Amino acid sequence: LPHTGFPYTVSYQTIPHHPAATGNKVFVIMQDSQFRVKKLKTEFNGDVLIISNNPVYPVEVMNKETTIIGQVVWNGSKESL
C-alpha cells in the first residue's frame, strides 16, 4: 500500500500479527496518532526498540500503545532505509 503522508513515499505490506522484528527490517508504525517509518529490533528481554536512521534521534522502547502497521517493501526516498 503506498502512503505519501511522510516526507517521502513508501509502499508497505500489512501484517496480521506482531513480527519478529530485526534491525534489518523497516516498518510503518502508528505512535501518538502519527505514522512513523522506523527500524525495529527485538532485544533478548523482549523489548522492541524503535531505531531512526538519523542518529540525532534517540533509540526508543516501543510501548503497548504503538501499533505496527506493516513492513516497508519500497521507498521513494534518496535515503536508504
Side-chain angles (χ1 to χ4, degrees), residues 15-54:
I15 47 180
H17 62 293
H18 191 288
T22 68
N24 295 328
K25 295 181 182 174
V26 179
F27 294 88
V28 176
I29 61 173
M30 174 71 79
Q31 187 179 44
D32 300 325
S33 301
Q34 294 183 355
F35 284 105
R36 300 173 76 195
V37 176
K38 299 289 181 181
K39 291 181 182 175
L40 301 180
K41 180 180 179 186
T42 303
E43 294 288 282
F44 290 113
N45 66 2
D47 287 347
V48 178
L49 302 181
I50 301 171
I51 304 166
S52 177
N53 266 4
N54 187 336

Side-chain angles (χ1 to χ4, degrees), residues 1-12 28 34-37:
L1 301 171
H3 185 78
T4 57
F6 307 105
Y8 46 85
T9 301
V10 299
S11 289
Y12 61 92
V28 176
Q34 294 183 355
F35 284 105
R36 300 173 76 195
V37 176

